[in-house]
Structure formats: structure tokens, C-alpha cells
Amino acid sequence: MTTQTEARAKHKYTAKLAGDIETRWQAWWDEQGTFVTPNPGDAGFDSSKPKFYCLDMFPYPSGAGLHVGHPEGYTASDIISRHKRMTGHNVLHPMGWDAFGLPAEQYAVQTGVHPAETTKKSIDNFRRQLKRFGFSYDWSRELGTIDEDFYRWTQWIFLRIYDSWFDPEADSGHGKGRPIAELIEQFMTNARPIRVNPDAAEHDNDTKARSWDTWDSMTTDEQRLVVDSYRLAYLGEQTVNWCPKLGTALANEEVIDGRSERGSFEVYRKPLRQWMFRITAYADRLLAGLADVDWPESTRIQQTEWIGRSEGAEVDFALADPPAGADEALRVYTTRPDTIFGATYMVVAPEHPLVGAVLLDPPAGTDAGTVRTYAEEARNRSDVERQESKEKTGVPLGIDVVNPATGERIPVWVADYVLMGYGTGAIMAVPSGDERDFEFAKAFNLPIVDVVYPTTVMAIAYAAEHAREDEPGGWQTLMADFVGHVTSESVPPEKFEAALGVVRTRRKTADDAPNMRGGVQAEWLLTIADMGEPDLASIRARFAGKRHWDASGAAFTGAGRAVNSANDEVSLNGLSVPEAKATIIEWMESKGIGNGKVNYRLRDWLFSRQRYWGEPFPIVFDENGHHHPVRAESLPVALPPMADYQPIESQDPQPLLAKATDWLHTTAGEAGVDSLPADAKVTRETNTMPGWAGSCWYQLRYCDPKNESRFVGLDAERYWMGAEAKNPGVDLYIGGAEHAVLHLLYARFWHKVLYDLGAVSTPEPFARLFHQGLITSFAFQRKDKTLVPVDEVENKGTEEAPEWVETATGERVGQITAKMSKSLKNVVNPDDVIEQYGADTFRLYEMYMGPLEASKPWNTKDTIGLFRFCQKLWRLCVDEETGAPRFADEADATTEKKLHRMIDKVGRDIDRLAFNTAIAAMIEFVNAADRLTRDQMDRFARTLSPFVPHIAEELWAKLDKTEPMGSVALQPWPEVDHEMLVDDEIEIPVQILGKVRSKIVVPAGADQKSMEEAALADPRIVELLEGRTVRKVIVVPGRMVNIVAN
RNA sequence: GGGCCUGUGGCGGAAUCGGCAGACGCGGCGGACUUAAAAUCCGCUUCCCGGGAACGGGAGUGAGGGUUCAAGUCCCUCCGGGCCCACCA
């Protein structure tokens, strides 16, 4: 190496220099408190600026450290935050740790180290890694869900929910949460009938039927029963998802295909007394709120489907000969009460009480042994087994009910395709109108009665009947008219258009047939098309016996008209599905056998976990087993130190905290319980809260993380959450789509309860939500679709035409993209990339990979391009030999123009979260610029600052700006002179018949006429138009000219 | 099975409102520097045909059809890939 290159290397942008610059400025930011954000009322708070709350989903600090997926969203939010600061906003951009939860505990169990210790280590590592990226978090607001002064308030919010009920009439019928005290007041003044909450799933019908005349006449236990049945947090005996391997029950949301989301262990159904949240009371509110937030459509759809609102009816079917102890009637829920005339049998879930009653007192026709065996087997099957096969199984119960619409006796079956957890656990089966019922009826030879005909069938029938013999083709018009007339409600008209089009053209080729879609309708019309040149007579003949939809092939669930649906009192025949529903519900209600009912797929939220590493409940039990809240002043109920946190792997749920006997047994006075005498012996709740608890409200605590008297200060909350804003809530929330239903639904629920109680000022927590795409990696796949680790594959082809071969076998493998995983050896560690190129290059690369929302493959080869960009921009601004800034003496007009354009483009791209194209614009500028003036470099450094904050800060210092003005991150975004964005002359493509044939240069403001003249005068165009007639010239000013000529 | 997203050079991607397809980066090719290599810098790089070159012609955004002066972009059908949900009556 020569002396000259050594000298040059000294101030060249190398990985080492990048590292030096980056760590130096990171330390300086910390020291200066550059990104510490004052709250309203604090020194330095500027109330004239608008606020912007930019939130990342906080990470779960795992032992493995940051994944490359973390910095993707975090860099995006950092760019936004930095840009917002520079455009005059007060920016709240915090970070913290979602640190309670199963993985830390499992890891601790494996290694024998206490979860508090491993979690602290993981947090320290995560913090170090995040700081190394130069993210502009206000670290003074850092919080962790495991901190006592955080979970103290998690417990406090739990108690607020515990102390609330949902009043469906409040808020002019929308319903809202209210304090329990107000419910008791209503009972005491008899403003509300005193009875057990009819919507409380945890109580049986007998309990729900009880009522009392006055509050004072009730015993304490009765009062407790009634009040507890209304609480939004309640203890309920529930069939839960019990996972023996994890030693805990899981929420529905944490069970995937019958296995635990975490660890993929089998999950069983088990009755257990658990803390539940009455989230179902908020189902409609949670649905309605989705209309007010700026969220990805797909996420709103997922939440809507998870809530799963359906409108239908509950109907009672009287038992023909009720067994002793059974109810007189079997109550079902159906979304299709209009099909009741087609109900030919009934099905109850294996757990349904009627099964038990039948077994206790088997009627004459019952094969009790078969029923018992089936019910027990079905109950004991794990969810995995239950979902493995969708083959319909079931046995008859040997009893009948009477179909109230037809008056006919129909049999009751027990089958596991009916679930106890939804509706009433019993259904009326309509094989002609429901695919599952149809399969079951086919399997067990049960009768099928058509009750709805597809609209097209009706159309054909109608046309065949009314068309006139002397009017060839008239049936088609009639049919089309009919179709157009009756399908307004749900069948998309274009489907009919497509199908009718085929009929009209008599189907050009036979190949069209398999391509036709649109269901039944198209098929029937194709049948007609198949007839060649149909005349009315042949259509009549063809459909004479087929004027009904033939249900022997499949159930029909689409839009249609009711048939075969009449009795002496009511007829649905000819009505559309919605009309028929309304009519039959009215009839049922008048007869007292049923009523309209809304149902939800959403279940109440199971909130207890039998684990150690979570927030303890602020609840104790007295000697009678009644629960009592711990008063707010005595919070937190701290997690007791334990040496033995080994789970009790068992089929019988055992909370771990039961082992902490000293902590477990205490007195009401010690525990801080007001509702009992101080010396009363109490036992603490031994379950803990699930990992979701802290993330349900952390966005609020960030607003005021040090507050000791309230979970968040009123002013801080109102300001940062935007109480008065048009679109209130966190301004931008960036995180993964995997939280679309879990965290994002739970957090909305907590927030809405707090809002109803007046504790927070906005109805929704997150005004705008954005999901960053998954960062995948290249991997290799054999022909049989099995995957091969990347280090077991080599390229036998060229770079240009790669030919990937598995080294061990020589087998050709295909390159695909897949999730990063240890087994595929395609995981990228962010630390390594920073080591090689620095954090600025890493940030640029992840933002440059593609659109933020898209899933994109990591390709380490590509990172060099962004490093080269850093080198180039460094060289543009800095003399590599001396390290001094290098300036142009005077501004070059072209460079100045390009700078303005680049700044404009970057600013607009940041606003639309298109960082990839913003970076491309900066690269283009650097490639084109030769040398900048001091003033140009000043503006350039500001523009760079959100993307490569360290280089920008270093340039800012080299410009001698740091001392007088402070960090570049706190400077205003450079102004764009809009005059600079327009050219005097522009080049316009001239097309002939849509193909570019020439280009002309016209003044920027040229009007249509002059552009047309210039285009037609262009020599090349003149030449090409020779001998042709110009029919039309389309001119789009400022864009293009298209000449239509032949 | 249902829902949502998606398909553009060898690769990642750009084209923001229907108006010049392939910006920018990687890779590749050629050149400079170097004893040499790496690094760095400069040029070319959608494919096909013609030409020494400048350039000219044609094709082209998964496939087929449609609307339009004009389609990657809008409509219909089909095919492939990804994610989510999945016996919820």
C-alpha cells in the first residue's frame, strides 16, 4: 500500500469510519437529550406546534436479539418521526418492552435462570441494538410491562374493568360501560329490574330466570350473584383451551388448528373457573369503531370476521316426548329461519344437556350405549383430532321434536359438527340449504326438502311458462327481464351478463364451458346453450320436470325465492330470502316459539394464565371463596420472588403461584382489601394475566410514563392522543400484520372501556395503522417441496443463469423465498450487517428493498449498493484526504434545480411512506451532482438526516453548524422553490396510433393547438404520415400527442 | 373451501390520476487505475432482427378476451405465488 492511498483512506467513508461517526453521535444525542420530548406544561414545550404521535409495536425482548424484521418498521417510523420534527411538529416517539410472557418463562425453565434475570439481559441487549441504529426515541420515556410502576396500573385498569358493567341502553342505544356503583344504584331505586344478566354466558337458564322485587330483600349472596353477573371482568366456569405441555389455558386467539400458537402443543377442552372479560358486550362497538380508523382494509376485515356478527333467530322445537329432567323444547340458533320448512332433522352438540338427559332416562327408541360411546368419544377428542377429519359422524338420540312450521315429527341427532360454544349448541338441519347439513343428510340418508330455488331456475321456469310460441327468442328476453328484476339483492349482475352472453352467442367454442363461473346460474344457462338452437317447446320439454332446483346434487345457499314453504298461517312462497326471514320471524314471535337474535363468533376473552411470569391479579378470595378487589393505594400486587417456577405439567390445571405459600395466604388488611375486616384471612388469586395485558394500554403510559398518581396524566393524554383532533388517537402505529386480531382487538377493547368510564379522551387508540411487510429470505426447495438449508446448495450454472444444486445429492433445487428460520440457515443478524457497513447503510438498505408494506426477500449482495451511495455522497461533500468539506465556489444552476427537485420528491415520498423511491431520488442526485456550495450542502444534509442521521449530523458539524444551531435533526426541513420544479421547455412524445414515433420540444405552458401544430410539423412525423389521412389528434398538454391516422 | 394481497429484465424493484414500460440498486459485460487481485472510478446492459456505428424495425408487464385515440394501470375469465381464516348453523 502506498503512502498516497493511506492518506486517502484516512477520511474515506469506510465501515470503520461509519462506525466511529455513528457511535460518536449516538452518545452525543443521549448526552444532549436531543430527542427528549417535553409534555404540555414542561419547560421547553412549544404549544404552537401540532403534535404527532408515532408509535412502534414494542418488541418482545427475546434472548435471540433483534431480527432484521424489527428495524424495518422501526426505521420507517424513525424517518417519519424525524421528518415530522423538521416540519414543525411536537413528536412523541417512544420505545419499550413487552416483557411478560411464556417464552421467557419457558427459557428460564430450560436454563434454570430466573425469568426476571434473563428478561433484563434481553432488554439490555435489545436496547443496545436499537440505540446502535440511531433511532430517535425519547429514551426518557422507556417502559417495560414488567416494571412494578407499570404493572401497578395494568392491575388498576383491570380493577376498573372489574368494577364496570355494560349498559346496552346507555348512549342512546349504542351501549357503554359504566361503574358498577351506578348499576347497584339502579337496582336500589328499582330503575332496573333486579335479575341476573341475561347475556351472561356463565349462568344457566334457571339462574337467569331468577328475579327479585327489591334490593334490600336480597341476601348478600344474592346481591353478589346479580352484580357479578354484570361485571366486565368476571369469574366464569368455562370450557377452556387447556394445554398440558405449557401448563396453562389459552385464549381462542392463541390456539391455531387445535395447537398452541406458542410451541405448537396439543390443546384440549377442559372446564375451568377462570377470569374472563365480557368483550362480547362490546362486539357492536368494536365493529362500529372500525369505520372511524384509518387502518388497512384487510385488518379491518379480519377483525370484522373475528367478531363475526350474524343476524338470525332463536327457535324452540317442542320435544315430542321429553325425557325426565329435560327441557320441554329444544332451542336452536339459525341464520336462515326462512328455511325452517326444510328442517328435516335436528342436531345437538355432544356436550349439549339434552344428551345427558337422554342418557339419564333413555326413551324407548334410544340406543343409550351408542349415544354414550359417541358423546364420550367426541368430548375426549382433542381439537387436533376433531379438525383432522371433516367427515360427518353422528348418532340418533332416539327422540323426536315437532317442526313448528310443518307440524311434522323430525329426529334429533348428536354430532360433533355442531359446537356447544356457539349459539345454543343445537341446530335445525336444513340439508337443501346448508352444505354441512347436506353432507350429513347424504351420509345418513335423511330426507331433503327444497325450500329455496335459485333465481335463475325461477327465471327459466317463468320464461318457459310465459313466453309465446309465435315469438322466437322471446323467452330469452323474458328470462333476462326476470333475472334483472329479481336479482338486485345479492347476485352480481355481471355474472348474469356473462352467462346470458354465452346463451346469446350460442357459445362459440366448447372450450368456454369449463371457464364459465358464476355458479348455478351460469350452469343452467349453459344447459340451454348446449341445446343448440332451442325453441320454446324444447326448453319447456327440457325443464318440464326440472322446473325445480334439483337438491340431490348439492345444497343451495345463494340468492333465490322460497318454495314449499307454507302452512295454514303463513306462506313464504315466492319471497326473496330477506323478505322470507322477516316474515317468518314475525310469525314465530307472534306464536311465541322464536325471536330474531343477533349472534357473534367472538367469545368472551379468557384472561387467566396458570403461569408465573405475568401480572398477578389484584384480587383475593375470602374463606367462602368470594373474590374481593385490592384497593388502588395498595397496588401493585407484586409478583412474589420464587425459586421454583417449574410448571406443573398436568391434565389438571394448577397455577404456579400456588407454590408461593407465604405470599398466597394473608389477611385483608395486609392485602389492602376494604370490603373485609382487616384481620380476615384471605387467599390471593394465583393465576396471572396473559402476555397481552401490558400491550393493551402501553400507548397511553408513554404519554406520561413517570406519573405516580394516575395511569396517565389528563393533560398529557388529551394532548398526545389528540382529544380534539379530527382523527383522534395515535397518529401512526407501525407494526406487523400478525397482530391484526389479537393485540389490536384487545387494546381497542380496554381503550373503549376506559373511554366509557371517562378515563381517556378518545374512542379509539390508534387512528392510523400501517403494517410493514415480512422480510423473507431466499431458500431452496426440492421437487417434492421440501426445503434445503442454504449452505447445502451450490450454483453450478453462471451468475447470469444460475443452476442450483444440492451439494450432497446433486439434485436440482429451485430458489424460492421463505421465512427466515434457523433450520434453513438463512437468518440474517443485524449486528453483522452493521459491523460490515454501518447503521446508516443498514437503514438505507431496508428502506430501499421495496414498498414498506410488501413482503420482500433479504439479499445481502444488494446491501453494497447502499454502502456505495454513502461513500459517494461522502465524497461529494468531504475531501477524503483532509476530511474537510469541499465546496463549489458558486452555485451551478443545474445542480441547484436538481437539489430542489430532489428535496421536493423526498418530502412527498416520506409523506406517502414510499422510502424506496425517496432514496432512489437521493442516489440520482448524488450521481448527477459534481460539487455543492456551502448553502447547498446545508440543505442536502438536512434532507439526508431522516434516512442517514449519522452522516447528516457529521456533515452538519463539518459545516460548523452544530455549535450555533444544535443537532441537524432539530433544524427545519429545507424549503422548496416551486419555480425550480418547472422547466421552460419540455420534451413531448409524439405517437402515431399509440406508438412513440418522435419527440418534440415545446414551451412548458404550450396549449393544445400549438402542440398539435408542432407535432404535425415535425419532419419525422411528416415523413411517416405521408400518404395517410390524419383522422384525429389527441393532445394532452404537458404530456403527449397521439395522432390517429390511416 | 372462503377472504385479502400479489404476478413487470438474470435478481430486488420504479412507473403517485388511463398518457414515453423497465427509474434506482444488485448482478453481468467492457474499460481505467494496479506487477496482480481486491476496493474504487467510468461506460454499456428488456428480448429479437438489421447495421461498423449513429440508428432503424419488431415483440414485450402470468395467459386469453374486452373497453379506449392510448392499458402494467380499468372490466371479464383462467393460471401461478403468498398471507389470513376455516364444520360458527
Side-chain angles (χ1 to χ4, degrees):
Chain A
M1 206 185 260
T2 67
T3 332
Q4 198 187 0
T5 51
E6 254 168 29
R8 183 174 292 156
K10 203 170 170 195
H11 294 281
K12 190 172 166 168
Y13 190 83
T14 58
K16 172 151 189 326
L17 182 68
D20 289 349
I21 291 172
E22 288 166 4
T23 47
R24 178 152 43 82
W25 288 112
Q26 283 157 11
W28 187 76
W29 292 329
D30 263 354
E31 202 180 285
Q32 299 282 312
T34 308
F35 302 112
V36 173
T37 310
N39 265 356
D42 289 353
F45 178 77
D46 181 352
S47 63
S48 69
K49 291 180 176 178
K51 69 97 186 182
F52 193 87
Y53 186 175
C54 186
L55 180 64
D56 288 307
M57 287 186 186
F58 62 171
Y60 181 86
S62 73
L66 278 187
H67 178 269
V68 291
H70 287 112
E72 187 194 12
Y74 297 163
T75 305
S77 66
D78 193 58
I79 292 169
I80 296 283
S81 297
R82 287 173 177 272
H83 184 243
K84 287 287 175 191
R85 271 185 214 105
M86 298 181 82
T87 51
H89 297 78
N90 288 325
V91 173
L92 178 58
H93 187 44
M95 181 43 76
W97 320 109
D98 186 17
F100 272 133
L102 266 176
E105 190 169 345
Q106 283 173 283
Y107 181 75
V109 167
Q110 285 160 23
T111 58
V113 187
H114 195 281
E117 210 173 301
T118 53
T119 302
K120 188 184 173 301
K121 267 194 190 150
S122 298
I123 288 175
D124 288 344
N125 188 39
F126 264 61
R127 189 190 302 103
R128 173 192 66 77
Q129 288 187 301
L130 289 179
K131 287 202 170 188
R132 190 61 188 79
F133 280 99
F135 296 138
S136 62
Y137 295 120
D138 177 355
W139 285 105
S140 74
R141 292 174 189 256
E142 177 184 346
L143 56 81
T145 53
I146 53 171
D147 302 341
E148 283 191 12
D149 59 3
F150 182 88
Y151 75 72
R152 167 187 177 188
W153 297 108
T154 309
Q155 293 172 337
W156 180 84
I157 296 171
F158 172 83
L159 289 177
R160 297 286 70 70
I161 303 173
Y162 169 87
D163 254 330
S164 302
W165 62 295
F166 190 80
D167 180 355
E169 280 94 46
D171 204 17
S172 44
H174 293 101
K176 81 184 253 192
R178 303 175 64 181
I180 282 285
E182 294 179 14
L183 175 70
I184 295 173
E185 197 184 302
Q186 288 195 2
F187 287 145
M188 291 173 82
T189 58
N190 278 35
R192 166 176 294 270
I194 305 174
R195 52 180 296 200
V196 169
N197 183 0
D199 294 325
E202 68 272 21
H203 295 291
D204 58 31
N205 289 335
D206 288 347
T207 311
K208 285 186 203 171
R210 295 179 70 181
S211 66
W212 294 265
D213 290 336
T214 63
W215 186 251
D216 293 338
S217 68
M218 298 169 72
T219 65
T220 320
D221 280 350
E222 286 171 339
Q223 290 178 347
R224 193 193 330 271
L225 171 73
V226 171
V227 168
D228 285 352
S229 77
Y230 284 89
R231 290 186 191 278
L232 289 179
Y234 65 94
L235 264 182
E237 175 97 7
Q238 294 285 338
T239 303
V240 302
N241 306 299
W242 172 250
C243 180
K245 284 280 176 198
L246 293 175
T248 186
L250 298 169
N252 287 335
E253 290 83 344
E254 293 167 307
V255 181
I256 292 158
D257 294 336
R259 289 176 178 277
S260 60
E261 184 192 26
R262 176 86 44 196
S264 200
F265 303 116
E266 285 198 32
V267 170
Y268 298 82
R269 312 208 135 261
K270 199 117 201 149
L272 199 59
R273 205 164 149 77
Q274 300 278 286
W275 284 103
M276 309 285 293
F277 280 128
R278 210 175 295 287
I279 190 172
T280 48
Y282 274 80
D284 271 333
R285 288 271 304 282
L286 290 167
L287 272 180
L290 290 172
D292 303 328
V293 290
D294 180 7
W295 281 24
E297 183 67 15
S298 60
T299 301
R300 296 211 308 256
I301 290 171
Q302 276 185 57
Q303 289 213 353
T304 303
E305 288 179 353
W306 190 264
I307 294 168
R309 183 191 154 99
S310 71
E311 285 178 27
E314 274 189 351
V315 191
D316 286 336
F317 284 64
L319 267 65
D321 307 293
D327 290 339
E328 296 287 304
L330 179 58
R331 178 166 293 183
V332 301
Y333 176 73
T334 175
T335 54
R336 292 294 302 276
D338 59 303
T339 62
I340 189 169
F341 287 89
T344 51
Y345 65 101
M346 309 290 282
V347 184
V348 296
E351 298 88 350
H352 195 278
L354 185 59
V355 176
V358 161
L359 288 174
L360 273 180
D361 174 24
T366 299
D367 180 350
T370 312
V371 171
R372 184 182 313 270
T373 310
Y374 181 80
E376 276 175 9
E377 273 180 9
R379 258 195 299 245
N380 288 337
R381 281 165 85 190
S382 73
D383 280 14
V384 176
E385 292 168 317
R386 232 173 156 158
Q387 287 171 16
E388 253 166 22
S389 155
K390 290 194 178 164
E391 287 280 295
K392 294 285 178 292
T393 60
V395 296
L397 270 187
I399 56 172
D400 289 345
V401 296
V402 178
N403 181 329
T406 63
E408 283 174 21
R409 284 173 71 122
I410 57 175
V412 181
W413 286 60
V414 54
D416 68 357
Y417 82 94
V418 170
L419 310 172
M420 195 58 216
Y422 185 78
T424 62
I427 61 156
M428 65 177 206
V430 184
S432 65
D434 182 281
E435 282 163 25
R436 296 150 301 184
D437 296 345
F438 181 84
E439 276 177 44
F440 193 84
K442 279 282 168 191
F444 295 101
N445 258 324
L446 291 156
I448 298 169
V449 175
D450 300 340
V451 283
V452 179
Y453 287 162
T455 305
T456 310
V457 176
M458 303 297 280
I460 291 165
Y462 175 85
E465 203 160 297
H466 293 88
R468 295 196 350 239
E469 306 271 0
D470 56 355
E471 198 184 340
W475 64 272
Q476 292 165 350
T477 317
L478 269 172
M479 195 166 75
D481 283 353
F482 187 92
V483 166
H485 176 64
V486 298
T487 54
S488 49
E489 62 220 26
S490 65
V491 178
E494 65 270 13
K495 301 269 190 206
F496 283 101
E497 275 308 307
L500 285 169
V502 173
V503 174
R504 289 194 197 103
T505 57
R506 302 282 187 272
R507 200 162 82 193
K508 280 170 255 156
T509 65
D511 295 339
D512 285 356
N515 293 342
M516 284 306 306
R517 249 203 177 171
V520 171
Q521 292 82 5
E523 263 175 52
W524 278 80
L525 292 166
L526 279 173
T527 308
I528 297 173
D530 273 339
M531 294 166 72
E533 294 285 328
D535 53 54
L536 187 58
S538 54
I539 289 173
R540 281 189 180 154
R542 177 74 177 74
F543 291 98
K546 279 256 183 193
R547 278 182 38 203
H548 311 309
W549 168 243
D550 179 4
S552 60
F556 177 72
T557 56
R561 298 263 153 172
V563 293
N564 302 331
S565 298
N567 58 29
D568 294 344
E569 294 172 16
V570 64
S571 171
L572 307 178
N573 289 341
L575 298 182
S576 70
V577 171
E579 289 164 351
K581 277 185 186 171
T583 307
I584 197 72
I585 288 173
E586 201 179 306
W587 178 75
M588 286 169 177
E589 285 176 353
S590 74
K591 299 278 286 179
I593 54 166
N595 50 271
K597 165 105 181 166
V598 173
N599 240 329
Y600 300 91
R601 278 189 50 176
L602 184 72
R603 313 292 159 80
D604 278 348
W605 172 16
L606 170 72
F607 198 64
S608 301
R609 298 293 183 277
Q610 293 70 49
R611 301 308 302 250
Y612 171 70
W613 194 232
E615 298 89 343
F617 283 83
I619 293 284
V620 300
F621 294 91
D622 63 24
E623 289 179 303
N624 297 317
H626 297 131
H627 46 82
H628 299 267
V630 172
R631 74 169 95 86
E633 296 73 32
S634 299
L635 298 179
V637 175
L639 194 58
M642 265 172 66
D644 174 20
Y645 41 79
Q646 201 75 18
I648 308 155
E649 192 178 312
S650 154
Q651 291 294 329
D652 291 309
Q654 304 247 7
L656 268 172
L657 284 178
K659 291 183 180 177
T661 45
D662 289 352
W663 175 83
L664 181 65
H665 302 289
T666 180
T667 62
E670 279 291 314
V673 173
D674 291 330
S675 48
L676 290 169
D679 60 352
K681 284 187 179 167
V682 296
T683 313
R684 294 185 190 271
E685 169 61 73
T686 51
N687 286 291
T688 54
M689 300 186 193
W692 310 108
S695 61
C696 279
W697 74 284
Y698 76 122
Q699 76 281 359
L700 295 167
R701 186 66 181 172
Y702 280 137
C703 297
D704 194 14
K706 302 274 163 35
N707 196 314
E708 287 180 13
S709 58
R710 199 169 183 271
F711 71 110
V712 56
L714 285 164
D715 289 346
E717 187 273 330
R718 287 187 67 81
Y719 181 73
W720 289 117
M721 294 300 287
E724 274 96 36
K726 198 172 71 201
N727 196 6
V730 170
D731 295 86
L732 180 61
Y733 191 26
I734 298 184
E738 69 274 17
H739 294 111
V741 279
L742 305 173
H743 156 60
L744 286 166
L745 189 66
Y746 296 152
R748 291 181 64 220
F749 167 61
W750 276 41
H751 197 93
K752 283 196 180 297
V753 178
L754 290 172
Y755 174 70
D756 286 353
L757 299 175
V760 300
S761 60
T762 72
E764 286 284 337
F766 312 115
R768 184 174 179 207
L769 172 70
F770 197 93
H771 297 306
Q772 83 274 19
L774 195 67
I775 293 188
T776 57
S777 193
F778 289 113
F780 297 93
Q781 192 179 45
R782 299 188 190 95
K783 282 200 191 74
D784 61 2
K785 303 239 169 182
T786 53
L787 298 169
V788 191
V790 288
D791 61 348
E792 293 172 20
V793 169
E794 57 188 340
N795 181 7
K796 296 251 174 160
T798 60
E799 290 287 344
E800 189 79 6
E803 202 172 298
W804 303 102
V805 165
E806 189 175 353
T807 314
T809 62
E811 190 191 337
R812 282 281 297 265
V813 292
Q815 193 179 44
I816 57 157
T817 54
K819 272 188 188 177
M820 288 189 184
S821 77
K822 277 185 200 160
S823 62
L824 290 176
K825 308 227 171 74
N826 60 1
V827 179
V828 177
N829 180 355
D831 284 347
D832 297 343
V833 183
I834 289 182
E835 170 77 26
Q836 198 180 351
Y837 295 116
D840 280 336
T841 296
F842 190 109
R843 293 168 58 113
L844 283 172
Y845 173 62
E846 286 215 344
M847 292 302 97
Y848 188 68
M849 289 170 76
L852 185 60
E853 68 276 16
S855 161
K856 314 163 274 273
W858 178 280
N859 192 356
T860 301
K861 265 188 186 171
D862 288 348
T863 51
I864 185 82
L866 285 305
F867 183 64
R868 282 178 193 152
F869 165 64
C870 290
Q871 290 184 315
K872 279 185 198 171
L873 83 86
W874 182 258
R875 198 161 44 239
L876 174 65
C877 299
V878 177
D879 185 311
E880 294 192 323
E881 283 180 49
T882 65
R886 50 188 286 265
F887 298 118
D889 294 335
E890 54 187 83
D892 165 60
T894 318
T895 305
E896 180 65 16
K897 208 170 210 179
K898 282 182 175 159
L899 180 60
H900 278 276
R901 284 169 191 216
M902 187 271 281
I903 295 169
D904 178 61
K905 167 92 175 142
V906 170
R908 284 184 294 116
D909 281 352
I910 291 175
D911 282 339
R912 62 185 186 105
L913 273 60
F915 307 119
N916 52 337
T917 51
I919 294 167
M922 295 192 291
I923 295 173
E924 239 172 312
F925 174 74
V926 168
N927 286 345
D930 183 37
R931 199 174 266 236
L932 303 179
T933 64
R934 179 176 279 271
D935 175 61
Q936 285 172 335
M937 202 182 292
D938 176 314
R939 284 173 283 153
F940 182 47
R942 295 179 202 223
T943 314
L944 288 173
S945 150
F947 296 86
V948 284
H950 312 92
I951 295 180
E953 200 76 80
E954 183 73 7
L955 292 178
W956 193 247
K958 286 189 187 295
L959 288 163
D960 295 325
K961 299 276 189 176
T962 311
E963 192 53 50
M965 298 174 72
S967 167
V968 68
L970 304 178
Q971 307 310 315
W973 185 251
E975 297 268 343
V976 172
D977 179 356
H978 288 269
E979 299 257 308
M980 293 291 222
L981 304 182
V982 288
D983 286 308
D984 300 340
E985 291 193 319
I986 49 174
E987 196 187 52
I988 296 287
V990 181
Q991 302 177 338
I992 295 174
L993 290 171
K995 280 188 189 297
V996 179
R997 295 299 175 182
S998 185
K999 301 207 173 172
I1000 54 172
V1001 174
V1002 297
D1007 61 14
Q1008 292 202 10
K1009 196 164 167 246
S1010 59
M1011 279 175 69
E1012 177 173 339
E1013 280 165 7
L1016 291 172
D1018 181 73
R1020 171 116 185 100
I1021 295 297
V1022 170
E1023 189 190 324
L1024 286 165
L1025 286 178
E1026 206 167 321
R1028 300 165 99 175
T1029 316
V1030 174
R1031 304 209 151 257
K1032 200 172 170 186
V1033 181
I1034 289 116
V1035 180
V1036 183
R1039 284 256 179 210
M1040 46 72 65
V1041 177
N1042 190 9
I1043 299 164
V1044 186
N1046 60 357

